[in-house]
């Protein structure tokens, strides 16, 4: 997702799928199919250009009340998007289906594909959306904030011993995250190393493996983290998980761990405070 000049000298930006994007202009009409990107659109000062979003796009709550819903991240209402006549649709390789993106490409001029896998990848994401939609100053501000918190997280990690954790995202079946996911990379920034030590690849189910509680690698887990999304783990689940894992269990805000974009800096601040409180 880097920028370059086209043959006519006009700047272009390359997204995660290798697609070239030119400046959109002030009349851009944006549909976002990713909750974290929807939040980023507003934090870049582009909220007035957003004409559609998913039902899972909930931040900023009040501002989104007036923005039409177009289904979910997986079950997208293509007919509704066609009615909204967007010039750009924002998608993510993990959260949206390839067939949905292919169908959208038949009638949407520009599909912007994203795929951040580490907190550092947000720097490129800011530059991409800031460049395409003319919000370079806001993108630079977000990048400055993120670089500062990444430095702070590195200092914290240097001061504390790493801890091996199991991060739960689903129940029945029990599911966790591979190490090459955004979630695992975010946890690693504050010294939480996820188990199992597997990689799931660019896309697909292997990025979020199911497991049984008799798996041999569970012996290395020191703490279990229960995420509030996508499964709605609540305090009531802590005793069950602590019993199954025979390890301390902690409920964590899934938005602060898994949402990229403008929430990345806030999420890392939140995680650092959590780790300090447990040290």
């Amino acid at each position: 997702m880097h920028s370059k000049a086209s043959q006519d000298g006009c700047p272009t930006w390359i997204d995660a799928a290798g697609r070239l994007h030119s400046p959109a202009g002030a009349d851009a009409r944006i549909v976002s199919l990713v909750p974290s990107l929807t939040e980023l659109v507003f934090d870049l000062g582009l909220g007035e250009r957003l004409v559609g979003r998913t039902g899972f796009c909930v931040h900023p709550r009040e501002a989104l009340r007036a923005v039409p819903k177009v289904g979910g991240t997986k079950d997208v209402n293509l007919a509704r998007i066609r009615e909204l006549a967007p010039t750009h649709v924002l998608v993510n390789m993990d959260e949206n289906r390839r067939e949905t993106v292919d169908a959208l490409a038949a009638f949407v001029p520009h599909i912007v594909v994203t795929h951040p896998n580490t907190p550092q990848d947000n720097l490129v994401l800011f530059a991409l959306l800031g460049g395409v939609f003319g919000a370079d100053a806001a993108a630079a501000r977000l990048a400055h904030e993120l670089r500062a918190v990444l430095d702070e997280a590195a200092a914290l990690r240097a001061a504390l011993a790493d801890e091996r954790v199991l991060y739960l995202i689903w129940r029945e079946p029990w599911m966790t995250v591979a190490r090459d996911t955004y979630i695992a990379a975010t946890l690693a920034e504050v010294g939480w190393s996820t188990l199992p030590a597997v990689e799931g690849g660019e896309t697909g189910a292997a990025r979020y493996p199911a497991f049984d509680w008799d798996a041999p690698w569970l012996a290395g887990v020191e703490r279990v983290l229960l995420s509030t999304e996508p499964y709605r783990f609540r305090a009531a689940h802590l005793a069950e998980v602590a019993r199954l894992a025979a390890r301390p269990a902690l409920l964590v805000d899934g938005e602060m761990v898994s949402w990229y974009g403008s929430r990345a800096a806030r999420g890392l601040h939140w995680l650092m405070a959590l780790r300090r409180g447990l040290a």
Side-chain angles (χ1 to χ4, degrees), residues 22-254:
S22 300
D27 58 349
R29 294 173 59 83
I30 303 170
V31 167
S32 172
L33 300 184
V34 186
S36 51
L37 295 182
T38 298
E39 183 176 49
L40 176 57
V41 165
F42 278 89
D43 286 338
L44 286 171
L46 302 168
E48 292 184 355
R49 303 187 201 179
L50 189 73
V51 298
R53 47 96 179 193
T54 76
F56 298 107
C57 298
V58 295
H59 298 300
R61 191 172 301 276
E62 289 302 317
L64 283 173
R65 293 185 187 278
V67 181
K69 297 178 184 178
V70 296
T73 55
K74 299 289 193 293
D75 54 337
V76 177
N77 187 332
L78 296 173
R80 182 64 177 126
I81 294 180
R82 188 187 291 271
E83 292 172 356
L84 294 170
T87 58
H88 295 74
V89 175
L90 310 182
V91 300
N92 176 265
M93 291 174 65
D94 246 0
E95 299 191 47
N96 306 119
R97 299 184 191 278
R98 175 63 184 268
E99 52 267 35
T100 299
V101 175
D102 290 342
L104 288 169
F107 62 89
V108 177
H110 307 284
I111 309 294
V112 183
V113 182
T114 67
H115 192 44
N117 283 309
T118 71
Q120 290 80 0
D121 290 344
N122 287 293
L123 299 171
V124 183
L125 177 61
F126 299 155
L128 171 68
L129 297 191
V132 170
F133 297 110
D136 299 275
R141 173 182 53 81
L142 292 175
H144 176 76
E145 293 173 356
L146 180 57
R147 289 190 182 97
V149 74
L150 285 169
D151 288 343
E152 188 179 346
L156 173 68
R157 184 170 183 178
L160 297 176
D162 277 8
E163 186 175 48
R164 296 182 301 276
V165 299
L166 167 64
Y167 187 88
L168 297 180
I169 62 167
W170 204 257
R171 180 177 180 274
E172 296 182 352
W174 296 98
M175 295 173 66
T176 183
V177 296
R179 281 196 172 166
D180 52 348
T181 57
Y182 183 86
I183 291 171
T186 298
L187 293 170
E189 290 293 332
V190 300
W192 270 329
S193 177
T194 56
L195 290 176
V198 298
E199 295 191 355
E202 281 290 299
T203 59
R207 291 172 63 78
Y208 306 98
F211 70 94
D212 295 317
W213 287 103
D214 59 356
W217 54 265
L218 283 167
V221 171
E222 298 171 84
R223 187 184 304 275
V224 184
L225 306 177
L226 289 73
S227 175
T228 57
E229 67 168 46
Y231 188 86
R232 292 177 62 85
F233 282 111
R234 294 294 181 262
H237 295 104
L238 289 172
E240 175 191 23
V241 170
R243 175 180 55 81
L244 289 168
R247 302 287 189 281
L250 180 69
L251 192 67
V252 298
D253 186 336

Side-chain angles (χ1 to χ4, degrees), residues 244-276:
L244 289 168
R247 302 287 189 281
L250 180 69
L251 192 67
V252 298
D253 186 336
E255 291 181 359
M256 291 299 187
V257 183
S258 65
W259 282 37
Y260 37 86
S262 45
R263 188 167 291 255
R266 279 177 285 162
L268 284 170
H269 272 302
W270 187 87
L271 280 171
M272 285 189 292
L274 190 62
R275 269 229 78 186
R276 290 189 186 105

